Amino acid sequence: MSPKNVVFKKVCKDKSVTVYMGKRDFVDHVDSVDPVDGIIVIDPEALQGRKVFVTLSCLFRYGRDDMDVMGVAFRRELYLSTRQVYPPLQDRDKSVHTKTQAKLLRKLGDNAYPFFFEFPDNLPCSVALQPAPNDIGKQCAVEFEIKAFSAERQDAKIKKRSAVRLMLRKVQYAPESQGKAPSVEATREFVMSERPLHIKASLDKEVYYHGEPIKVHLQVTNNSSKNIKNILLSVDQVANVVLYSNDSYTKAVDIEESGDTVTAGANLQKTYTLLPVLANNRERRGIALDGKLKHEDTNLASSSVVKDGILKEVLGIMVSYRVVVKLIVGGMMGSSEVGLEIPFKLMHAKPETVKESELEEELVFQEFKRSYLKGMMADDDEEEGNVSGGDDMAPKEK
């Protein structure tokens, strides 16, 4: 079957501006970031002489909107870039940067105008902390957005019915080359025991994909006089909110209590399997997630990979993972723990790409329905200008 080029379409309420974009996920390759490109279609009659602008913004939100008190805003704009699209400031053909834009211009006619942004290399990826089921308001998150609007001038007050917003994601994929498979060893000596306890734990590789089982190879050489009463394994997610407070949140996203024992003088060699997935953590507050688009599922947040020389303090939420192994050691004075940690990366597998030259000429449009057309009221969380409809309204936003 020939590949199809899906194009996302969204129109503002007064029909003056429509946004078309070929994708909503933009990849951070560490050394570079995919540029943001699209098309704006204007309705000259609905514009009534107004100009059209488009902005790309990155917002870090670390509190609910209703917590803005005494002039303190619980959100920070990390990046904002604005382009005037109409009237165009240069020849339309000179503003075309991609083949998708060129195809859309041929299809959409003379009232279509391209826009193009390049990300700076010091912006964070899309990450959000999962709220509890009974939480209200907007979650702590790094969010990206394209907004197109019509106004008399760039700094004029924007009317909601003349603006359209489309959420984007900045994501990272696993590197093509794997690093050295991680392995950690620990030795523990005990009082009244002549010989030590030795533990070695290793993984098969450094980088795992979302939804991929993690095999932990454990070797225990118990030459001590102590008995090991239980072995616990977990995958810990560590989310550091580095932008404003350097808060750190550690959450076990998968746990296995094996019940295995190792008596004094005995050995154990065994492989355990862990599976950290969002499906098992949906009710837990504070779990870091990849940025989410409406009507589309997401994953646990990917490990953060940072370009050398970039200040981590501006990167919003940094995420890392580790396997934790704990041995519960029994004794006359009670139990104690012996443990070790194995760092690894959890990331998206790089998808198969289709060359633009191989895409068929026909473009498939994914249109966003406006709830007000069915008499529905928009939530505060909904994207300004129009929102997706209910389950009976298709096609839905991806």
Side-chain angles (χ1 to χ4, degrees):
M1 181 180 295
S2 298
K4 290 184 180 293
N5 192 6
V6 175
V7 176
F8 300 98
K9 172 186 176 183
K10 200 166 187 182
V11 58
C12 66
K13 286 184 178 181
D14 67 6
K15 306 296 181 64
S16 62
V17 177
T18 305
V19 177
Y20 293 82
M21 296 190 69
K23 60 181 179 179
R24 300 180 70 187
D25 285 348
F26 297 87
V27 182
D28 182 343
H29 303 280
V30 181
D31 292 328
S32 64
V33 185
D34 290 348
V36 176
D37 64 279
I39 297 293
I40 301 292
V41 174
I42 60 102
D43 183 337
E45 184 175 343
L47 281 179
Q48 298 179 344
R50 299 190 300 270
K51 298 178 180 179
V52 175
F53 304 91
V54 60
T55 65
L56 171 65
S57 62
C58 175
L59 179 74
F60 181 71
R61 190 187 308 278
Y62 47 100
R64 303 202 320 259
D65 288 344
D66 58 9
M67 293 175 61
D68 293 358
V69 293
M70 299 180 65
V72 178
F74 288 82
R75 56 190 182 274
R76 183 182 300 180
E77 198 170 72
L78 302 181
Y79 178 75
L80 177 67
S81 181
T82 305
R83 304 274 190 272
Q84 179 176 316
V85 177
Y86 178 83
L89 300 180
Q90 61 178 329
D91 183 82
R92 190 172 77 159
D93 292 337
K94 293 182 180 179
S95 301
V96 176
H97 294 268
T98 67
K99 292 184 178 179
T100 299
Q101 283 182 318
K103 286 182 181 181
L104 284 169
L105 287 176
R106 290 195 298 269
K107 188 175 185 69
L108 298 174
D110 294 337
N111 289 327
Y113 298 89
F115 65 86
F116 185 85
F117 293 93
E118 291 186 295
F119 283 106
D121 61 2
N122 62 343
L123 291 180
C125 287
S126 300
V127 180
L129 297 184
Q130 180 169 258
N134 58 346
D135 282 350
I136 60 174
K138 296 187 176 182
Q139 59 194 353
C140 176
V142 174
E143 299 174 337
F144 291 86
E145 175 187 88
I146 280 287
K147 178 192 285 187
F149 61 94
S150 59
E152 287 75 14
R153 60 186 188 278
Q154 180 177 328
D155 57 352
K157 184 177 180 180
I158 302 172
K159 297 180 180 178
K160 284 189 176 183
R161 63 181 294 104
S162 300
V164 58
R165 297 164 54 189
L166 199 59
M167 302 302 294
L168 311 178
R169 286 187 296 201
K170 181 170 174 277
V171 300
Q172 286 182 320
Y173 292 130
E176 295 183 0
S177 59
Q178 286 272 354
K180 184 179 179 181
S183 178
V184 178
E185 298 185 50
T187 299
R188 176 75 175 272
E189 295 183 351
F190 301 96
V191 178
M192 306 297 292
S193 180
E194 295 182 358
R195 303 182 68 182
L197 167 68
H198 185 76
I199 315 165
K200 180 179 180 180
S202 61
L203 306 180
D204 292 327
K205 54 185 181 176
E206 179 195 26
V207 180
Y208 287 84
Y209 303 140
H210 291 289
E212 182 180 8
I214 299 170
K215 294 188 180 299
V216 184
H217 307 289
L218 181 65
Q219 297 178 24
V220 179
T221 304
N222 187 11
N223 292 323
S224 73
S225 59
K226 305 289 186 179
N227 294 322
I228 297 172
K229 301 165 58 177
N230 199 358
I231 298 177
L232 309 177
L233 298 96
S234 67
V235 173
D236 282 5
Q237 179 196 76
V238 182
N240 291 303
V241 184
V242 298
L243 183 64
Y244 72 99
S245 66
N246 208 28
D247 288 345
S248 182
Y249 303 91
T250 300
K251 304 285 186 178
V253 290
D254 192 35
I255 301 175
E256 179 175 339
E257 184 173 351
S258 71
D260 291 336
T261 61
V262 186
T263 58
N267 300 326
L268 173 72
Q269 185 168 331
K270 186 173 180 179
T271 298
Y272 301 90
T273 301
L274 297 169
L275 183 61
V277 292
L278 177 57
N280 300 329
N281 295 277
R282 290 193 182 277
E283 303 299 316
R284 301 186 59 206
R285 183 178 188 175
I287 298 289
L289 312 178
D290 277 337
K292 184 177 181 180
L293 302 177
K294 296 182 186 303
H295 301 300
E296 182 172 312
D297 207 354
T298 189
N299 298 283
L300 296 171
S302 296
S303 298
S304 302
V305 180
V306 182
K307 181 179 178 180
D308 291 340
I310 297 299
L311 292 176
K312 294 183 179 180
E313 288 74 17
V314 301
L315 293 181
I317 303 174
M318 301 286 293
V319 180
S320 62
Y321 289 89
R322 64 196 182 197
V323 170
V324 179
V325 180
K326 292 181 180 179
L327 277 60
I328 309 301
V329 182
M332 296 293 293
M333 304 299 292
S335 298
S336 60
E337 290 185 359
V338 179
L340 48 78
E341 300 176 354
I342 318 167
F344 71 97
K345 292 183 176 67
L346 182 65
M347 304 189 74
H348 292 283
K350 188 174 182 179
E352 294 183 5
T353 57
V354 179
K355 296 180 181 178
E356 289 191 62
S357 59
E358 297 175 354
L359 292 170
E360 65 177 27
E361 191 67 25
E362 180 183 357
L363 300 173
V364 179
F365 291 90
Q366 180 86 37
E367 186 170 359
F368 298 89
K369 302 295 184 180
R370 293 190 300 276
S371 62
Y372 72 84
L373 291 178
K374 293 180 71 69
M376 299 168 59
M377 296 300 294
D379 299 332
D380 289 339
D381 282 344
E382 291 290 356
E383 296 170 345
E384 181 180 324
N386 57 51
V387 297
S388 300
D391 292 340
D392 59 337
M393 300 183 69
K396 295 179 179 178
E397 180 174 347
K398 295 294 184 184

